[in-house]
Amino acid sequence: MTFPPRELSPEARTALFYSTLFMGPALSAVYSGVWMAGKGLGPEEIGVVNALPLLLMLLLNQGVGRVADRAADWRGVIVGASWLAAAAALGFLAVDGFWGILLVWTLATVPHGAVVPVIDAAAVRMTARRGSAFGALRAWGTIGYLGVLAGAGWGLERLGGGAYVPLLVGLGLLRALAALGLPRFRAPEGGVAGGAAGATTPGARSLREVMRPWFLLPLVGWAAIYGSHTVLNAFQGLLWQAQGIGLGTIGLLIGVGAAAETAVLLGYRRLFGRFRARTLMLASAGVTVARWAAMALEPGLPVLWALQALHGVTYAMGFLACVQFIANWTSEDIAAEAQGFFVVLQQGMSVAAMAGFGWLMGDWGAGAHWGTAGFAALGAGAIWASRRLQGP
């Protein structure tokens, strides 16, 4: 028997891969900073180690997507990049010092980052063809992330910090093995892979065909919404702690947001399938503005629980609507390239949002969320302008 079993459906094998996709990043979110500090790296050096892969992914993501689109199937690029990341992670077992860690971290992180837009593009096309739900597959990425996030601190406390690197290498290998079980995503010539429940929507065969304001504005606008969410990971725990909220409660608040995200991903087609993509994107943007404005007022815990529960709408619903919007207007010829372009926009907006929030937080504290609310409002305006330029 192979791993994963070939008798599983294409959706099940794709969900299994998604469940492993963010396990390594979850482990690193808990302990990478501690590990790097233990290796003698200072805060500035740790910042450089984390920033360089992001910069390289900004430069490479769209090109990787173009290569994946020209391949016989997106699967080959996903498998190759997953094994490249797993092999590079072996370097952590021997690396020491700033330059060595910078090299290995970059070599392991960049291929993983390149996989995400390609698997998203491939999965959304496959599910459209087979009549299944992309959101339900993508939800397994969040479930896998949460599972490792919940167990990482407990496990490392008992196993010791020395277990971090072996666990990181093992999770990379698990992801690469899961990639081997991925199905063929493209439809064969003259037919539909895995049996058809519907035909692929025709669309632009090159990005130049859709590089118009009505297409770009909603993607740029929702990328600003995405960027405003990235400050949660970097700063929100500090802000809540300053407001007197305990670490245990902070963990539960983060968990509520992740649970809401998972619920919307799983139920997206049933809950929102009848709405148009840009309508959902605009709704996501509007609720985001209200969420950050409320955060700026430093509300008490009862309100914070409700605001965290909105994460499913402000993030998950908007993200899936963007993926669908791109798929509606582009053909399979540029599926991964178009998704890679969207990821580049998200990363660029994230850099702007993080820099701006950090600057505002020094003087305003939680009031810095007025800045993220304004940033999100600009995104909402861009989506609204697109609808005015060209209706559904």
Side-chain angles (χ1 to χ4, degrees):
M1 186 177 75
T2 59
F3 177 80
R6 294 290 178 174
E7 58 267 22
L8 292 177
S9 69
E11 286 84 357
R13 285 183 274 153
T14 304
L16 181 59
F17 177 74
Y18 265 122
S19 73
T20 68
L21 187 56
F22 303 111
M23 286 181 172
L27 181 66
S28 293
V30 173
Y31 202 74
S32 66
V34 177
W35 177 75
M36 291 181 196
K39 290 288 187 178
L41 275 64
E44 297 83 2
E45 291 174 319
I46 293 173
V48 171
V49 169
N50 284 279
L52 182 60
L54 179 62
L55 176 61
L56 290 177
M57 284 188 284
L58 276 170
L59 299 174
L60 296 175
N61 256 333
Q62 200 173 345
V64 172
R66 191 176 297 118
V67 170
D69 287 331
R70 291 176 179 173
D73 191 75
W74 298 294
R75 180 185 181 278
V77 171
I78 297 166
V79 172
S82 297
W83 279 99
L84 182 60
L90 292 171
F92 288 122
L93 296 169
V95 75
D96 211 355
F98 169 70
W99 291 107
I101 291 173
L102 177 65
L103 176 62
V104 175
W105 188 270
T106 300
L107 291 176
T109 303
V110 170
H112 173 266
V115 162
V116 176
V118 180
I119 183 62
D120 282 348
V124 78
R125 302 291 170 162
M126 180 192 73
T127 52
R129 209 165 26 238
R130 291 173 54 84
S132 47
F134 167 70
L137 301 188
R138 194 58 158 79
W140 283 97
T142 304
I143 293 169
Y145 181 88
L146 280 174
V148 172
L149 200 63
W154 177 84
L156 288 170
E157 278 184 357
R158 282 151 183 77
L159 297 173
Y164 167 68
V165 168
L167 286 173
L168 189 65
V169 171
L171 291 175
L173 179 61
L174 180 65
R175 182 176 61 240
L177 287 171
L180 292 177
L182 286 170
R184 177 181 171 86
F185 291 103
R186 288 188 190 272
E189 194 69 30
V192 178
T200 303
T201 303
R205 301 178 76 88
S206 74
L207 277 181
R208 277 182 300 226
E209 294 179 36
V210 287
M211 282 299 176
R212 304 288 187 270
W214 66 265
F215 182 80
L216 286 172
L217 282 170
L219 298 185
V220 172
W222 201 85
I225 304 303
Y226 174 89
S228 74
H229 281 77
T230 60
V231 304
L232 293 175
N233 295 331
F235 300 107
Q236 197 58 56
L238 294 173
L239 289 173
W240 282 336
Q241 196 170 28
Q243 294 169 33
I245 299 173
L247 289 177
T249 304
I250 289 172
L252 290 175
L253 284 167
I254 295 171
V256 166
E261 175 186 330
T262 303
V264 171
L265 288 171
L266 288 170
Y268 176 82
R269 188 168 67 165
R270 182 166 51 85
L271 294 171
F272 307 113
R274 65 183 181 276
F275 297 101
R276 296 190 180 275
R278 278 180 290 175
T279 299
L280 295 175
M281 292 159 70
L282 187 58
S284 167
V287 177
T288 299
V289 173
R291 183 184 179 191
W292 301 151
M295 289 279 200
L297 299 174
E298 299 188 43
L301 271 177
V303 176
L304 286 177
W305 294 119
L307 292 177
Q308 285 299 96
L310 290 175
H311 191 73
V313 172
T314 61
Y315 173 73
M317 185 185 77
F319 168 76
L320 290 180
C322 286
V323 170
Q324 188 58 54
F325 177 73
I326 293 169
N328 287 345
W329 290 100
T330 57
S331 71
E332 288 195 353
D333 295 331
I334 58 167
E337 183 183 358
Q339 191 64 29
F341 173 70
F342 178 47
V343 169
V344 167
L345 292 177
Q346 293 175 66
Q347 291 169 336
M349 290 295 183
S350 297
V351 171
M354 294 277 279
F357 193 89
W359 178 69
L360 291 174
M361 183 178 159
D363 293 326
W364 294 5
H369 273 302
W370 289 115
T372 51
F375 198 50
L378 292 175
I383 299 168
W384 178 84
S386 167
R387 286 167 56 88
R388 298 289 293 175
L389 286 171
Q390 178 166 315

